[in-house]
Amino acid sequence: MIDTKKLNTTADAMRSRVSIRRYTDAPVPQEDVLEAIELAGNAPSAFNLQPWRFHVVRDSETKSRLQAAAMNQAQVGAAPVLLVLTSDMEDVMANLEDVLHPGLPEEKRVGTKGYLESMFGGLTVQQRAEWGRNQTNIALGYLLVALESMGYGSSPMLGFDADAVRAVLGLPQHVEIVALVSIGHPAEEGFPKHRHPVETILRAA
Ligand SMILES: Cc1cc2nc3c(=O)[nH]c(=O)nc-3n(C[C@H](O)[C@H](O)[C@H](O)COP(=O)(O)O)c2cc1C
C-alpha cells in the first residue's frame, strides 16, 4: 500500500530521491507497480513513439539469475520487485499505425508514417535501438521520481551484461536493455545526497 504520509509534491520527490539498495520485507502490491509504470509512461518522447517497455520480475529464481547477470549486485535479488526497463523500436516500427496519435488527421498520419519509415528505415537495428534507449531514459527519470513520490525506494542500474539479461528473460537481440530498477520499502537512508549547485551546471546561453 502507498504510504500516504510520504506522498509529496513532484519538487519534493525530485529533491529527496536517493538510491536505496536495501529493503524491508513489506510487500509491494502489483497495483502500485502498475501505477508507477503508468506514471513513467507519461514521459514525452520524440514523435511520441513511446518505445519503453517494462518487465516486472518478482520470482526469486529469476531475480537471482538476473543478479548474476548484474555483477552480482545484491539489490537485484533482495528487492521485492525488479523492473527491467527495455526499449523495443522494432515493435514500434512494426506497429506504427497503432503507435501514432489517433487524433492525427488522415493526411498528416500518412505523411508522418512515411517520414518515420524512411527515417528509421535508413538506420541499422542497432542505431534504432540507441535512439530508443535515449527516449526510454526519459521514462526512467519519470519512474524514479514517481516511485519516490509513492514512498518507495529504488535503485537504477546500468551495471549488467545485456546479453545475459536478455537470455534470462528470453528477449530477442533487438530489445535494448535500458536499466534494471530494484524497488521496495526503504530499509536504509541511502548515501547523503551530493549534487552540483546551479552555478556549476549553468552555462551562458
Ligand atoms: C542510469 C543509471 C545507472 C546506474 N547504475 C548503477 C549500478 O549499476 N549500481 C549502483 O549501485 N548504482 C547505480 N546507479 C546509481 C548512481 O550511482 C546514483 O544515482 C548516483 O551516484 C547518485 O546517487 P543517488 O541516486 O543516491 O542520488 C545508477 C544510476 C543511474 C541513473
Side-chain angles (χ1 to χ4, degrees), residues 19-24 75 78 153 184-188:
S19 293
I20 297 295
R21 300 176 178 86
R22 293 179 59 227
Y23 313 97
T24 71
Q75 66 268 33
H185 294 272
E188 64 170 2

Side-chain angles (χ1 to χ4, degrees), residues 80-170:
V81 172
L82 183 78
L83 280 190
V84 180
L85 180 51
T86 67
S87 168
D88 192 344
M89 278 301 291
E90 301 314 297
D91 186 39
V92 167
M93 293 312 293
N95 295 287
L96 258 192
E97 201 63 59
D98 297 328
V99 170
L100 292 181
H101 196 303
L104 278 182
E106 189 54 23
E107 197 180 316
K108 186 123 188 354
R109 194 178 177 73
V110 171
T112 305
K113 187 162 179 275
Y115 175 81
L116 292 173
E117 279 167 350
S118 155
M119 175 188 146
F120 285 110
L123 301 182
T124 63
V125 170
Q126 186 53 41
Q127 287 169 325
R128 283 194 290 273
E130 280 296 321
W131 191 93
R133 162 183 287 275
N134 289 339
Q135 307 305 313
T136 302
N137 273 319
I138 304 171
L140 172 61
Y142 269 50
L143 175 72
L144 298 178
V145 174
L147 289 166
E148 175 73 11
S149 77
M150 295 168 74
Y152 286 108
S154 68
S155 166
M157 285 163 274
L158 264 185
F160 55 80
D161 175 336
D163 284 332
V165 171
R166 276 189 285 265
V168 171
L169 297 181

Side-chain angles (χ1 to χ4, degrees), residues 10-19 144-145 148 189-196:
T10 307
D12 289 339
M14 292 170 86
R15 292 197 175 98
S16 65
R17 193 216 68 83
V18 291
S19 293
L144 298 178
V145 174
E148 175 73 11
E189 296 278 311
F191 287 124
K193 191 153 190 158
H194 166 65
R195 291 296 188 274
H196 304 300

